[in-house]
Amino acid sequence: MYMPILEIDLNKLRDNAFVEKTLLQKQGVEVMAVNKVFDGCIETARAVMEGGINVIAESRTYNLKKIRETGCTTCLLRSPCLSEIEDVVRYADISLNSEPPVLRALAAEAVRQKKTHQVLLMIDMGDLREGIWFEDYPQILETVRLIEELPGLALYGMGTNFNCYGTVLPTVKNGEDFIAIVKRVESDTGSKVRRLSAGNCTSYHLIDKGLWPQALNHLRIGGLHQFGIEYVDMKYLDEFHHSTKAVGRASSDLYRFYAEIIELNSKPTVPVGELGVDAFLQPKTFEDHGTRKRALLAFGRQDVPAENCVPQDDAITMLGQTSDHTLIDIEDSAQSLKVGDTVCFELDYTGLLMACQTRGVALRFIR
Ligand SMILES: *Cc1c(COP(=O)(O)O)cnc(C)c1O
């Protein structure tokens, strides 16, 4: 039975992971590969491992359970829920944490399972998502001491995150402020913090510019090897495989999405009749471009949002979408498309995220 297809180029993904690991290694930075956009896909986890990265992170515990069969070291990329502690200890070697009640529960369960669970203690340097607030040093120190004292836990490192909720950029300033906090913890506890995990793919701009604060020695990265984009200045990095589309579209040809044409004809560009709201209860306005050739595709918003699809053929434009149909304008395309043909799109991060987690898209791999 028909499904639109998401094709992932595992060779390019592996190459990009290798390049990323090598570039970061030169700066003394260890990397953990973030697989969450692929929603627990084993093949993509394997591809980055073939590229040389052995620690793989997911934000859902059930995805760690899946990717464990690759033999990777697993990291839960957000704080465990108190309701899933047993599974977190079972399936995650490492987790990101900031809450003492969660740490106590993890410790008790790790003892029960005769394991040592590694904790990456998160500090919020201003982006306002997870982590102990950077100005609350007593709480930071107390929590590090708690991790050291609790049986069954070990401090994997201290971490921070940027550009997620608050759009805060990683800078030399907040990087050095983070280092200062860690140094103070080290001098107050007398023990070394092994990893200073400075952020996600957006931190790469500091390495690219030669501004990297040397003491930062760890990153958690997905978007860099997945797209080959430096996200602060929005540019392609030529060391990586990346799209040939305008960088502002933020898509990649590592991810090709194919959907079938189910209707093809010429229709007016302005609807005929009294206008109300669309399938999502939104009012709309239409510009009159006369009658144009268009195609109806068999996928919709419940699969991948149209704004996250970039047509491979630059002459094709997106017209709109309902939950189960996508409309494209093909008037200017040189292809002689017909009903039953497939149209190909590159996907951006959100498009990839949605395509990987819907039941309505089939996966295909290039390897
Ligand atoms: C998603 C996430 C990352 C990785 O982000 P990318 O943009 O894919 O590099 C790193 N750290 C945390 C805490 C995250 O949630």
Side-chain angles (χ1 to χ4, degrees):
M1 251 168 293
Y2 166 82
M3 277 193 183
I5 292 166
L6 168 62
E7 184 184 76
I8 301 179
D9 190 326
L10 297 176
N11 295 328
K12 289 185 178 176
L13 192 63
R14 176 203 59 216
D15 291 353
N16 279 359
F18 177 77
V19 167
E20 174 178 289
K21 185 186 160 122
T22 308
L23 285 173
L24 295 183
Q25 227 163 23
K26 281 186 193 151
Q27 289 291 324
V29 176
E30 175 189 349
V31 63
M32 172 189 284
V34 176
N35 197 55
K36 68 186 177 192
V37 73
F38 301 117
D39 198 21
C41 177
I42 290 171
E43 288 81 358
T44 55
R46 224 170 243 139
V48 301
M49 287 178 75
E50 284 165 10
I53 306 176
N54 297 315
V55 186
I56 313 266
E58 290 275 356
S59 49
R60 294 151 187 230
T61 308
Y62 57 75
N63 281 339
L64 292 177
K65 182 178 176 186
K66 279 173 63 182
I67 64 163
R68 244 168 39 119
E69 74 162 69
T70 64
C72 66
T73 298
T74 56
C75 175
L76 180 62
L77 206 54
R78 66 177 185 197
S79 178
C81 299
L82 273 177
S83 58
E84 61 171 353
I85 295 297
E86 186 182 335
D87 285 334
V88 171
V89 171
R90 185 159 292 127
Y91 301 119
D93 301 306
I94 310 157
S95 64
L96 273 55
N97 284 273
S98 50
E99 282 287 354
V102 174
L103 290 165
R104 286 193 196 91
L106 280 172
E109 183 60 31
V111 169
R112 208 167 297 138
Q113 293 185 30
K114 301 186 171 56
K115 283 187 172 171
T116 301
H117 185 79
Q118 303 280 333
V119 173
L120 183 59
L121 180 64
M122 296 303 284
I123 310 300
D124 184 349
M125 296 304 297
D127 198 55
L128 299 181
R129 199 178 68 178
E130 75 275 49
I132 304 172
W133 189 240
F134 72 101
E135 289 171 310
D136 192 355
Y137 183 74
Q139 178 65 23
I140 295 171
L141 182 61
E142 200 177 303
T143 311
V144 172
R145 289 203 161 120
L146 180 69
I147 295 164
E148 287 185 332
E149 283 160 20
L150 284 170
L153 295 187
L155 187 68
Y156 186 74
M158 290 172 67
T160 188
N161 198 45
F162 296 107
N163 282 114
C164 272
Y165 172 73
T167 76
V168 173
L169 297 173
T171 59
V172 172
K173 167 85 172 68
N174 55 28
E176 282 175 349
D177 290 348
F178 176 60
I179 293 167
I181 291 169
V182 177
K183 295 273 176 237
R184 195 169 161 197
V185 165
E186 286 180 333
S187 90
D188 286 343
T189 59
S191 48
K192 180 142 181 67
V193 175
R194 281 176 296 154
R195 292 179 189 81
L196 282 77
S197 188
N200 54 47
C201 62
T202 63
S203 291
Y204 187 76
H205 86 108
L206 293 174
I207 292 181
D208 192 52
K209 294 182 177 108
L211 298 174
W212 189 247
Q214 284 305 313
L216 303 175
N217 64 2
H218 187 272
L219 286 171
R220 313 169 304 275
I221 292 187
L224 181 61
H225 60 263
Q226 287 153 3
F227 288 85
I229 296 174
E230 192 275 86
Y231 292 91
V232 173
D233 301 297
M234 260 331 232
K235 61 173 192 179
Y236 287 126
L237 294 160
D238 286 330
E239 297 89 334
F240 293 84
H241 297 292
H242 60 72
S243 176
T244 55
K245 303 288 175 201
V247 65
R249 303 302 308 267
S251 65
S252 172
D253 66 356
L254 269 65
Y255 319 107
R256 291 212 163 107
F257 182 68
Y258 298 89
E260 194 170 314
I261 298 175
I262 51 174
E263 185 184 302
L264 191 149
N265 46 40
S266 290
K267 286 190 185 178
T269 37
V270 177
V272 176
E274 269 182 62
L275 302 191
V277 292
D278 71 3
F280 303 107
L281 307 181
Q282 302 301 310
K284 269 190 194 164
T285 54
F286 296 85
E287 259 180 54
D288 194 353
H289 297 288
T291 294
R292 306 222 2 131
K293 207 160 134 195
R294 27 101 83 190
L296 205 53
L297 301 177
F299 81 100
R301 207 166 183 81
Q302 73 194 63
D303 305 307
V304 185
E307 59 269 29
N308 306 108
C309 300
V310 181
Q312 197 179 41
D313 179 344
D314 291 328
I316 292 178
T317 57
M318 307 301 281
L319 287 172
Q321 199 170 37
T322 65
S323 57
D324 50 3
H325 291 85
T326 300
L327 285 79
I328 57 173
D329 182 310
I330 58 169
E331 176 79 30
D332 300 329
S333 172
Q335 301 179 70
S336 53
L337 293 166
K338 51 187 193 307
V339 170
D341 286 350
T342 55
V343 176
C344 176
F345 302 89
E346 291 186 3
L347 298 180
D348 69 8
Y349 187 91
T350 308
L352 181 61
L353 182 73
M354 302 316 282
C356 287
Q357 57 94 56
T358 173
R359 277 183 291 116
V361 173
L363 286 181
R364 185 164 79 195
F365 299 102
I366 298 178
R367 57 178 118 216

